[in-house]
Amino acid sequence: MAIDHKGRAVVIMGVSGAGKSTKGDMLAKVLNCSFLDADDFHPLLNKEKMRQGISLSNEDRIPWLEMLRDGQFVLLDAEADVLAARLEKRAAEGKHFMPAALLQSQLELLNIDEGEEIFKVDATLSPLVIVSKIQAFLFSDSDQTIDKRPLGIRNFKEV
Ligand SMILES: Nc1ncnc2c1ncn2[C@@H]1O[C@H](COP(=O)(O)OP(=O)(O)O)[C@@H](O)[C@H]1O
Ligand SMILES: O=C(O)[C@H](O)[C@@H](O)[C@H](O)[C@H](O)COP(=O)(O)O
């Protein structure tokens, strides 16, 4: 979640491996605002469950989601095989508690209804293109205080 200078929050959503942390961090840098990783808001019990390969239940998720829901939503969308490969690699590198085995349960639960105000972005695009698209969506109105120059390799280390 990125929070800008006006206190507006944007929630980057998607199943595990979609690229939320990577793009959330980049977006926050380009907007010069704070980035909060939703993973840091899970109680330890939720993380321990997932570490053990047990999917969270709605009861586990609801208090966590209620803390995070007050923002605009952006969904990072990709096919299961791409996401699974990313998670296998990330887990093999010892970078995250989340096992790839839980991906399928998340894909089955993720359900976006027609008409929900969620901006969808193809999560297989390059990180810079994804962040530029989110930036364009957020500031399609005329907010003069934001630096709207296109992102470039000067801004970020590529994934
Ligand atoms: N657009 C992208 N293209 C290719 N790989 C990516 C992209 N975004 C993220 N990754 C890689 O995929 C993995 C998962 O990204 P991460 O940001 O941790 O996802 P999430 O927070 O949604 O679980 C990481 O290893 C990251 O380097
Ligand atoms: O509700 C859930 O099942 C989890 O909160 C889930 O949304 C999240 O994916 C994990 O915390 C793993 O973290 P990453 O998505 O950052 O891999």
Side-chain angles (χ1 to χ4, degrees), residues 7-113:
R8 290 179 301 201
V10 54
V11 177
I12 313 295
M13 58 179 281
V15 294
S16 192
K20 303 178 294 294
S21 309
T22 312
K23 265 48 66 86
D25 187 52
M26 290 170 70
L27 188 68
K29 284 196 177 92
V30 79
L31 300 180
N32 193 24
C33 67
S34 326
F35 169 64
L36 303 176
D37 196 320
D39 282 339
D40 296 334
F41 291 81
H42 272 304
L44 285 178
L45 212 60
N46 280 4
K47 283 193 184 176
E48 195 45 42
K49 254 183 118 166
M50 289 187 275
R51 204 189 303 279
Q52 290 175 17
I54 305 166
S55 290
L56 297 184
S57 65
N58 283 344
E59 288 69 34
D60 296 324
R61 285 189 178 109
I62 286 167
W64 170 73
L65 284 172
E66 283 182 339
M67 274 191 286
L68 305 172
R69 71 179 168 188
D70 192 16
Q72 285 176 288
F73 283 79
V74 175
L75 174 68
L76 298 175
D77 198 29
E79 295 292 330
D81 54 344
V82 176
L83 299 165
R86 286 185 190 176
L87 292 183
E88 300 283 3
K89 183 165 177 283
R90 192 177 67 176
E93 291 166 350
K95 288 186 179 161
H96 204 285
F97 62 86
M98 184 72 172
L102 288 186
L103 176 63
Q104 193 52 38
S105 67
Q106 293 195 352
L107 288 167
E108 283 163 15
L109 274 178
L110 183 67
N111 186 16
I112 309 291
D113 293 329

